[in-house]
């Protein structure tokens, strides 16, 4: 692609590794969600997931990502209030195809012997994290869900990955968009190694 913002048509077939942590937060402390999207709550609390993703060949795009999602009502659904990537093509495609509010950031990632990552925007810390992996399952497990964004725009996602439990430590910029996670310890952290993902296409609705 000669234009750095030129993106492939959906669906995107992607490969790579993901490190994700989960928190349970009071509804009043959630980030702002897209209009019309409501969080799934239990006793006034909702699940927030934050993930580092390293998309690699032979997927249609290779880039790095820091993504925050909130589990939403309407089935097996998440919504994405915050997301950063280091690829102009991914940014343009995510916004145009699925209404995902991607922004650009600079990433530092290391994956051996353990995983460490940091993301900054305009020099300011968005987040950093360290994950210590435990043994992963020897087989890939399938997962299907939808991403619900403004519109409403619902896009289907299918993933198969080798999952493993991890221990993680996060730090976030206290004056930045992820400050609502500052000082909070994740309830659970997982690693998805060598995942295969199909994002969009099919029954995406608006």
């Amino acid at each position: 692609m000669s234009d750095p913002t030129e993106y492939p048509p959906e669906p995107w077939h992607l490969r790579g590794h993901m490190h994700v942590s989960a928190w349970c937060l009071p509804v009043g402390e959630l980030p702002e969600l897209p209009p019309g999207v409501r969080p799934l709550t239990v006793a006034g609390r909702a699940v927030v997931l934050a993930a580092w993703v390293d998309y690699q060949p032979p997927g249609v795009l290779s880039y790095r990502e820091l993504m925050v999602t909130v589990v939403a009502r309407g089935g097996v659904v998440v919504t994405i209030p915050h997301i950063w990537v280091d690829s102009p093509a991914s940014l343009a495609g995510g916004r145009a195809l699925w209404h995902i509010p991607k922004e650009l950031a600079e990433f530092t990632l290391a994956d051996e012997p353990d995983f460490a990552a940091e993301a900054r925007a305009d020099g300011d810390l968005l987040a950093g994290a360290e994950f210590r992996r435990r043994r992963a399952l020897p087989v890939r497990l399938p997962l299907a869900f939808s991403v619900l964004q403004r519109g409403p725009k619902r896009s289907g996602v299918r993933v198969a990955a080798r999952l493993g439990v991890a221990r993680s430590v996060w730090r976030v910029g206290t004056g930045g968009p992820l400050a609502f996670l500052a000082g909070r310890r994740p309830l659970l952290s997982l690693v998805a190694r060598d995942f295969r993902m199909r994002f969009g296409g099919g029954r995406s609705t608006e």
Side-chain angles (χ1 to χ4, degrees):
M1 299 181 185
S2 56
D3 183 348
T5 65
E6 185 179 356
Y7 53 86
E10 63 175 322
W12 287 5
H13 293 275
L14 300 163
R15 299 276 292 270
H17 309 300
M18 179 184 298
H19 293 73
V20 58
S21 295
W23 292 260
C24 190
L25 301 185
V27 172
E29 298 179 24
L30 295 178
E32 183 178 359
L33 303 185
V37 178
R38 294 188 297 170
L40 179 66
T41 61
V42 177
R45 302 178 77 87
V47 175
V48 174
L49 306 170
W52 302 90
V53 193
D54 187 6
Y55 295 102
Q56 301 177 349
V60 296
L61 288 175
S62 298
Y63 61 98
R64 291 168 295 182
E65 178 177 272
L66 170 60
M67 173 177 57
V68 173
T69 66
V70 177
V71 178
R73 297 185 185 184
V76 186
V77 177
V78 299
T79 189
I80 304 173
H82 294 300
I83 181 170
W84 295 268
V85 297
D86 62 358
S87 161
S90 174
L91 182 151
R95 290 183 176 186
L97 295 173
W98 306 300
H99 300 181
I100 296 173
K102 294 186 178 183
E103 302 286 349
L104 289 177
E106 303 83 42
F107 288 79
T108 303
L109 265 67
D111 206 8
E112 294 295 340
D114 292 309
F115 177 84
E118 185 177 273
R120 291 181 176 269
D122 298 322
D124 295 327
L125 177 67
L126 294 169
E130 292 80 38
F131 282 69
R132 178 166 294 181
R133 294 190 293 264
R134 298 178 181 176
R135 183 173 299 178
L137 296 175
V139 296
R140 291 188 183 89
L141 297 180
L143 175 64
F145 60 95
S146 295
V147 173
L148 184 62
Q149 297 301 117
R150 62 175 177 82
K153 176 79 173 181
R154 184 186 294 261
S155 305
V157 183
R158 292 185 177 274
V159 184
R162 294 167 48 220
L163 296 178
V165 177
R167 298 182 65 180
S168 71
V169 176
W170 285 72
R171 61 189 187 280
V172 301
T174 54
L178 302 186
F180 64 95
L181 293 178
R184 299 182 184 273
R185 181 177 298 178
L187 296 177
L188 175 69
S189 295
L190 299 172
V191 178
R193 302 292 296 177
D194 191 23
F195 68 74
R196 286 93 184 275
M197 177 186 295
R198 182 182 188 273
F199 198 112
R203 296 183 62 185
S204 175
T205 60
E206 187 167 5

